[in-house]
Amino acid sequence: MKKNIIKPSLPGTKDIHRATLSNGIIVLARSNFNSPSISMGGYVPAGSIFESDEKLGLADFVSSSLMRGTQMRTFDAIYNELESVGASMGFDSGVHNTSFGGRSLVEDFPLLLKLLSESLQAPTFPKNEIETLRAQILTGLAIRAQDTSDMAAMAFDRMLFEGHPYSRPADGFVETVQSITRKDMKEFHRRYFGPRGMVIAIVGAIDPKKAVEALENVLGGWQVPGQVGAPELPAHKPVKKTVRHHHVLAGKSQSDLVIGMIGPRRRDPEYYSASLGNSVLGQFGMMGRIGEVVREKSGLAYYASSSLNAGTGPGSWEVSAGVNPRNLKQAIDLIEKELRRFVKSGVTKEELADSQANYIGRLPLSLESNNGVAGALLNIERYDLGLDFYQRYEGMVRGVTRDEVLETARKYIDPDRLVISTAGP
């Protein structure tokens, strides 16, 4: 009978099981017996924030190497085992964390956990695999150096977050990646990988308490007494006037631009008024007002939209566009004009209502898959949102007023203090 119970669409306090393993790892689990699969996600606080300027890209290199060979299995053996049962698993890194994810049928979940445990605790960083991976990373960096969108975004971060860890590219530079040794990688793993601060979400056809037991069996004994905790983020210094930079890439038929400023953190009280405002500015429908003015009406851009990037530390609020190089100045002028209009008059009643309905309507869609729910549970933990977050979500979104959107826009957007980054011929 239990398997026929249909879960309510939104996770909450009644069906999210939160537990702490004996070594401090936090587990969030939720059952879904409508599918025979299990999705797993999680993170370890071992991101690029720990790197020196001379070894940029180290966390990314390490995370990409964890499944390249362990004390128990070779690279080929790991992937052959996963493929033989149709399972998948992978690692990724960012500024604060190394993240992981995987999925399998419920009967193959023990294998997934075993491979996760081995990759986290006992990677060997085999020399030949490391050099193959290094060559792939360097190829990616060479491609990045010729990409107008990537180069505009990198220069934007460098100017917006000057002197802050967020100013640096997590995948590093050619010279820093070339300088990274196996010893560096082993030392990074030894110092920063461990159970402290680690979070795992398990969603699928398994009883939540059994999921916790299974994790305790494979990871509960992991101890790293000297695991180094994350450093405090330094204070961010806002720009005092508009700053510009153009990165020359000769022979390109497109220029890319990023214009923006500091935005709220995910935990800031004005996050939702900023997010809904951003939806109107450059997301909703055909990329919002920015898309309408720059792309639809003026025909100046291949794409034009805005984004709000909010996380643990200071976020960014930015407008991006790809344009014909001849139209670059005109596109920048139009975007600046639209930002001035936005901070002068905010959003209309209809625009706000449309965006609120969109946010509320798309939430269940994002939680339809086990993967989507696992990601949602991790966000709840990462930003300390509370297990009842999704029960409160609609009320929070509907509660945002036009005055709050305008007040938030004026707090963050100063059209006389923008960061403008462009790349192209």
Side-chain angles (χ1 to χ4, degrees), residues 219-233:
L219 284 167
W222 189 20
Q223 299 289 344
V224 181
Q227 183 185 350
V228 179
E232 285 289 314
L233 278 176

Side-chain angles (χ1 to χ4, degrees), residues 232-252:
E232 285 289 314
L233 278 176
H236 171 263
K237 303 184 192 79
V239 297
K240 291 190 168 58
K241 61 180 182 177
T242 291
V243 292
R244 294 175 180 245
H245 175 79
H246 180 70
H247 182 88
V248 177
L249 281 172
K252 295 293 180 181

Side-chain angles (χ1 to χ4, degrees), residues 33-75:
F33 290 102
N34 297 318
S35 156
S37 67
I38 289 182
S39 287
M40 166 188 76
Y43 56 86
V44 184
S48 62
I49 197 167
F50 293 106
E51 298 167 349
S52 65
D53 288 344
E54 296 72 34
K55 300 290 182 179
L56 279 182
L58 178 55
D60 186 54
F61 206 164
V62 168
S63 72
S64 301
S65 305
L66 295 174
M67 292 175 65
R68 294 268 168 161
T70 69
Q71 291 171 14
M72 302 78 176
R73 289 172 173 82
T74 63
F75 174 51

Side-chain angles (χ1 to χ4, degrees), residues 290-304 322-324 326-328 330-331 334:
I290 295 286
E292 184 183 359
V293 169
V294 181
R295 186 171 182 266
E296 301 300 313
K297 286 185 178 175
S298 306
L300 291 179
Y302 308 114
Y303 73 92
V323 302
N324 184 307
R326 291 193 301 269
N327 299 331
L328 189 59
Q330 195 180 350
L334 274 178

Side-chain angles (χ1 to χ4, degrees), residues 81-101:
E81 288 214 51
L82 286 169
E83 285 180 15
S84 69
V85 296
S88 62
M89 192 173 87
F91 287 85
D92 195 13
S93 78
V95 176
H96 294 280
N97 301 310
T98 288
S99 303
F100 54 86

